[in-house]
């Protein structure tokens, strides 16, 4: 392919609550400049409180040698609800596993929601993809504060939800959607293209022992850091599900932008339950087309997991 016809890298904002799997997603994006133009990272409260998620995002950038990437702190709590966190999965820091340090790269003085709004207004319409890896609070807040940006979004590619795999934080709900269900429904109802990476696909992306060992064998700071994170991260899910490894949820978002051919799903209608105590945060996915509700999301159901981990390992080897 000639340089003239090569597709330019996809402009994205990663919105995140690191989290070991978030960290791998950020590293994959940073390792893929021919595919991904990372405009900035916005942080949200989710897996751990905001003070830790913004610190962890800066740690990950420093591991990758990319302290030039702007990291912004966004919302410290969901739109309407008290914050629920997941230290029981990610450890008290959110990045338990490797030895951690205080990052020296600065936190941007610009608020994360403001950064999302300003970036979408500045860049040509239809050229910026939002990649939420945690609760959707920052995205929904930006849409609410600046409705003019909604039609400027190219696509939202998010990790969240579940249908056949049901819930991982309650019997009915996946964590990211459960933490801020009103935000999730606002994004799904915004009328823009949405691609969802639910538990249905991420539970097929297992960080098995051989896959972690392949990353460790990179013999680099990034490889060691990633393997040590995944050694810790897998414990909870292996014990809970009896699986061969922990599911690597969030890297599926970035991998989809690089290699969409690794994934398959259906355009369906997805709505979020916001009124029921029993099923709060449930993503009601009309997989079988039994309602007349219009499709509003590409709901991913399958992944070539060997291809996914091959991509992750080879790209991390660049850092």
């Amino acid at each position: 392919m000639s340089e003239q016809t090569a597709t330019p890298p996809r402009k994205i904002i990663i919105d995140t609550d690191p989290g070991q799997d978030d960290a791998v997603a950020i590293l994959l994006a940073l390792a893929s400049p021919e595919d991904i133009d990372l405009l900035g990272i916005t942080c949200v409260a989710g897996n751990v409180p905001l003070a830790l998620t913004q610190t962890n995002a800066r740690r990950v950038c420093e591991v990758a040698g990319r302290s030039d990437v702007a990291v912004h702190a966004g919302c410290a709590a969901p739109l309407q609800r008290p914050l629920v966190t997941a230290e029981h999965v990610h450890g008290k820091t959110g990045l338990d596993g490797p030895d951690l340090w205080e990052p020296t790269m600065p936190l941007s003085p610009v608020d994360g929601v403001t950064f999302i709004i300003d970036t979408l207004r500045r860049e040509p319409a239809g050229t910026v993809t939002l990649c939420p890896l945690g609760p959707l609070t920052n995205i929904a807040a930006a849409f609410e504060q600046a409705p003019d940006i909604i039609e400027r979004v190219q696509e939202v590619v998010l990790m969240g939800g579940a249908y056949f795999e049901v819930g991982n934080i309650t019997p009915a709900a996946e964590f990211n959607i459960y933490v801020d269900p009103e935000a999730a429904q606002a994004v799904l109802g915004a009328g823009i293209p949405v691609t969802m990476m639910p538990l249905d696909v991420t539970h097929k992306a297992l960080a098995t022992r051989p896959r972690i060992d392949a990353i460790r064998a990179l013999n680099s700071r990034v490889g060691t850091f990633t393997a040590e994170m995944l050694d810790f991260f897998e414990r909870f899910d292996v014990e809970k599900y009896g699986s061969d490894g922990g599911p690597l949820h969030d890297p599926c978002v970035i991998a989809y932008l690089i290699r969409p051919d690794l994934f398959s799903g259906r355009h369906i209608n997805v709505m979020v339950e916001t009124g029921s105590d029993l099923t709060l945060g449930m993503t009601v996915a009309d997989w079988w087309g039994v309602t007349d509700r219009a499709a509003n999301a590409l709901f991913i159901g399958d992944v070539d997991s060997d291809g996914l981990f091959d991509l992750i390992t080879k790209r991390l080897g660049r850092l």
Side-chain angles (χ1 to χ4, degrees):
M1 184 183 286
S2 70
E3 284 301 312
Q4 288 75 20
T5 57
T7 307
R10 185 98 168 243
K11 295 177 184 178
I12 72 167
I13 296 172
I14 290 180
D15 184 71
T16 181
D17 60 338
Q20 291 89 348
D21 55 327
D22 304 71
V24 180
I26 294 168
L27 292 170
L28 178 59
L30 292 173
S32 305
E34 72 271 47
D35 299 299
I36 302 293
D37 179 6
L38 180 57
L39 302 179
I41 296 172
T42 55
C43 298
V44 68
N47 286 324
V48 287
L50 182 64
L52 285 170
T53 64
Q54 58 91 348
T55 300
N56 289 343
R58 291 183 291 139
R59 286 174 170 138
V60 174
C61 290
E62 288 187 353
V63 166
R66 291 295 307 277
S67 54
D68 58 301
V69 176
V71 174
H72 306 261
C75 297
L79 297 179
Q80 301 177 23
R81 299 177 185 273
L83 176 64
V84 175
T85 56
E87 286 89 352
H88 62 289
V89 179
H90 299 275
K92 66 182 187 302
T93 66
L95 287 185
D96 279 21
D99 290 331
L100 298 177
W101 64 97
E102 278 305 308
T104 56
M105 69 177 276
L107 182 68
S108 170
V110 179
D111 165 79
V113 174
T114 303
F115 173 75
I116 292 168
I117 293 169
D118 290 349
T119 303
L120 285 165
R121 285 175 173 166
R122 181 185 69 243
E123 297 290 337
T127 65
V128 176
T129 295
L130 302 178
C131 297
L133 310 179
L136 288 152
T137 316
N138 286 340
I139 310 301
F143 288 180
E144 187 177 321
Q145 290 178 30
D148 60 285
I149 67 172
I150 295 173
E151 64 182 17
R152 301 181 67 83
V153 175
Q154 180 177 1
E155 185 180 7
V156 174
V157 182
L158 67 91
M159 190 277 134
Y163 185 58
F164 295 102
E165 284 284 311
V166 294
N168 64 354
I169 186 69
T170 73
E174 179 276 328
F175 177 81
N176 286 345
I177 306 297
Y178 177 78
V179 170
D180 199 340
E182 286 80 13
Q185 182 55 38
V187 172
L188 281 165
I192 54 179
V194 174
T195 296
M196 298 179 70
M197 297 289 159
L199 300 182
D200 303 75
V201 66
T202 67
H203 278 180
K204 296 171 182 172
L206 298 178
T208 59
R209 178 58 41 199
R211 287 167 175 172
I212 295 174
D213 288 343
I215 292 171
R216 183 178 283 107
L218 294 171
N219 285 321
S220 63
R221 187 183 182 195
V222 164
T224 301
F225 180 80
T226 302
E228 289 175 348
M229 284 194 301
L230 297 182
D231 286 340
F232 177 89
F233 182 56
E234 74 161 2
R235 295 174 196 172
F236 175 80
D237 287 294
V238 169
E239 186 175 323
K240 178 177 175 181
Y241 296 109
S243 55
D244 293 330
L248 215 51
H249 309 282
D250 294 329
C252 290
V253 168
I254 305 303
Y256 173 79
L257 296 177
I258 298 169
R259 289 280 310 279
D261 58 297
L262 294 173
F263 298 87
S264 61
R266 292 184 187 177
H267 280 282
I268 61 170
N269 181 270
V270 183
M271 297 186 72
V272 179
E273 177 57 58
T274 59
S276 163
D277 289 337
L278 187 64
T279 57
L280 181 70
M282 181 178 182
T283 43
V284 181
D286 187 11
W287 184 260
W288 302 114
V290 295
T291 75
D292 58 2
R293 294 195 289 267
N296 62 347
L298 175 59
F299 199 80
I300 300 297
D302 210 355
V303 61
D304 171 357
S305 60
D306 287 335
L308 172 70
F309 277 89
D310 185 54
L311 173 68
I312 291 170
T313 305
K314 283 181 174 170
R315 292 292 170 97
L316 296 191
R318 300 169 164 189
L319 295 174

